[in-house]
Amino acid sequence: MKLGRAALGLLLLAPLAVRAVEPISLGLALAGVLTGYIYPRLYCLFTECCGQKRSLSREALQKDLDSKLFGQHLAKKVILNALFGFISNPKPKKPLTLSLHGWTGTGKNFVSKIIAENIYEGGLNSDYVHLFVATLHFPHASNITLYKDQLQLWIRGNVSACGRSIFIFDEMDKLHAGLIDAIKPFLDYYDHVDGVSYQKAIFIFLSNAGAERITDVALDFWRSGKQREEIKLKDMEPALSVSAFNNKNSGFWHSSLIDRNLIDYFVPFLPLEYKHLKMCIRVEMQARGFEIDEDIVTKVADEMTFFPKEERVFSDKGCKTVFTKLDYYYDD
């Protein structure tokens, strides 16, 4: 604010000062102020700039997680504390790395969207948020060397342009083994790598690896009459890292990212129950501008399939297909 007022004062006083200052000198001084302060500020009013979003609000992030993510008390707690702590740290030692694990439809992609929206106005469409899908961007195992080079160049270029870049890797369980190790130098405890600092970047990995272990723990709690909210991170996290590391069908198979402890948090996403599906349906109804109709909520939830076959405790597709099923009832 002080610099802005000084610049404005300089502009207003320019006619009076012109006699005392040579025209070229005055012009250069004004140009310096405009280019160095006013122009970037004005430019960022009309387009997205790196780090331009307001400081991350813990309350806003908490509200988004509570109102949009259901049945995931562990993920909510870890994401809230990890993200807020990282963003609040002016000098982190390394990038933030989150590995989200669970079955399809449990909220992994949704959490990535929430994170992006709480850091950048454009969310997933921001120029500073980058999504990689294993089967789309890295389809051929024979090209793994090429993919490694391209991945390093892409990350280096984007972090050079914006230190607070976000990289999301979806379908890690379908990524070719060894490919992800190409980014290991960027995740390590280095101040700079080839002149670029990656310490403020965020890397998010999404995977189905370890989902069986997560389900086993959740089912054991349910069968013993315990509430799912009693499940602690310590009941899940060690097994998740081991499962991802030893799974030959996982992009983390024998990965140096796990071996060198470069993944900050392994975040389990629990399988969803019937009541959680109803919560998803209600939120989707509101998002489409409809009044909540409990009859339709129940009908859509009843159409979903559950497992184990005898007990029918967990939805086998989570909330992923409830949105398309709603189309049947609201199709014009």
Side-chain angles (χ1 to χ4, degrees):
M1 286 299 292
K2 291 182 179 179
L3 182 56
R5 290 171 183 167
L8 181 59
L10 184 57
L11 288 171
L12 294 175
L13 293 173
L16 300 177
V18 71
R19 295 174 184 172
V21 183
E22 293 184 11
I24 293 179
S25 299
L26 179 62
L28 289 174
L30 289 173
V33 172
L34 288 169
T35 304
Y37 180 79
I38 297 177
Y39 176 73
R41 293 287 178 125
L42 289 174
Y43 177 78
C44 292
L45 290 176
F46 299 99
T47 188
E48 185 180 49
C49 292
C50 176
Q52 184 67 14
K53 193 183 188 303
R54 63 188 182 280
S55 298
L56 178 70
S57 167
R58 185 183 181 93
E59 292 73 21
L61 178 58
Q62 177 82 66
K63 182 179 179 181
D64 277 350
L65 292 171
D66 288 341
S67 62
K68 300 175 182 178
L69 183 66
F70 307 114
Q72 305 299 351
H73 68 286
L74 293 175
K76 286 181 182 180
K77 182 177 180 180
V78 174
I79 297 299
L80 180 66
N81 292 334
L83 191 62
F84 186 75
F86 179 74
I87 297 293
S88 301
N89 185 354
K91 295 183 178 180
K93 297 296 184 183
K94 66 180 291 297
L96 176 64
T97 51
L98 304 170
S99 188
L100 315 184
H101 297 259
W103 292 121
T104 298
T106 52
K108 302 186 301 296
N109 289 90
F110 206 60
V111 162
S112 301
K113 180 174 181 288
I114 290 174
I115 291 174
E117 290 174 347
N118 274 268
I119 295 178
Y120 288 112
E121 298 289 354
L124 292 177
N125 295 320
S126 168
D127 290 338
Y128 310 114
V129 178
H130 313 281
L131 173 64
F132 299 97
V133 181
T135 53
L136 176 63
H137 296 103
F138 315 109
H140 306 297
S142 57
N143 291 337
I144 189 169
T145 301
L146 173 64
Y147 294 152
K148 284 184 176 182
D149 292 339
Q150 290 176 336
L151 189 56
Q152 287 186 339
L153 288 172
W154 183 255
I155 292 177
R156 183 182 298 114
N158 281 287
V159 174
S160 297
C162 178
R164 184 71 78 195
S165 292
I166 301 174
F167 301 94
I168 303 170
F169 292 83
D170 197 7
E171 299 183 345
M172 277 297 297
D173 47 301
K174 297 181 176 66
L175 192 71
H176 305 300
L179 174 55
I180 202 63
D181 284 352
I183 71 171
K184 186 259 180 188
F186 308 143
L187 305 190
D188 218 326
Y189 292 83
Y190 298 126
D191 290 339
H192 296 85
V193 177
D194 293 333
V196 179
S197 173
Y198 298 86
Q199 294 169 317
K200 291 188 176 182
I202 298 173
F203 293 81
I204 305 173
F205 307 100
L206 315 181
S207 177
N208 289 347
E212 296 89 350
R213 173 58 183 164
I214 295 171
T215 298
D216 288 342
V217 173
L219 197 56
D220 286 343
F221 270 71
W222 183 85
R223 286 170 174 165
S224 62
K226 298 179 181 178
Q227 298 294 317
R228 65 193 282 131
E229 289 74 20
E230 296 180 56
I231 300 174
K232 306 296 183 184
L233 190 61
K234 64 181 181 181
D235 298 321
M236 299 278 194
E237 194 173 32
L240 281 182
S241 62
V242 172
S243 176
F245 186 79
N246 291 327
N247 187 342
K248 291 185 177 181
N249 297 318
S250 168
F252 280 131
W253 184 63
H254 288 188
S255 171
S256 61
L257 273 60
I258 296 178
D259 189 45
R260 299 298 179 89
N261 297 312
L262 297 179
I263 305 297
D264 298 315
Y265 300 94
F266 289 89
V267 187
F269 281 69
L270 306 176
L272 301 182
E273 300 175 16
Y274 182 82
K275 62 182 179 181
H276 302 126
L277 298 190
K278 284 192 165 186
M279 294 176 183
C280 292
I281 297 167
R282 293 187 189 103
V283 168
E284 181 64 15
M285 282 182 170
Q286 290 177 320
R288 297 188 186 190
F290 301 127
E291 291 186 7
I292 295 177
D293 185 326
E294 289 298 335
D295 287 338
I296 295 179
V297 170
T298 299
K299 288 178 181 177
V300 173
D302 287 345
E303 291 177 11
M304 305 301 290
T305 54
F306 296 82
F307 70 97
K309 186 175 181 180
E310 298 78 14
E311 295 153 303
R312 300 186 74 250
V313 182
F314 303 125
S315 168
D316 60 1
K317 295 180 181 178
C319 285
K320 193 164 188 175
T321 59
V322 300
F323 310 128
T324 55
K325 289 185 178 294
L326 265 179
D327 294 338
Y328 173 81
Y329 296 95
Y330 291 104
D331 189 2
D332 294 332

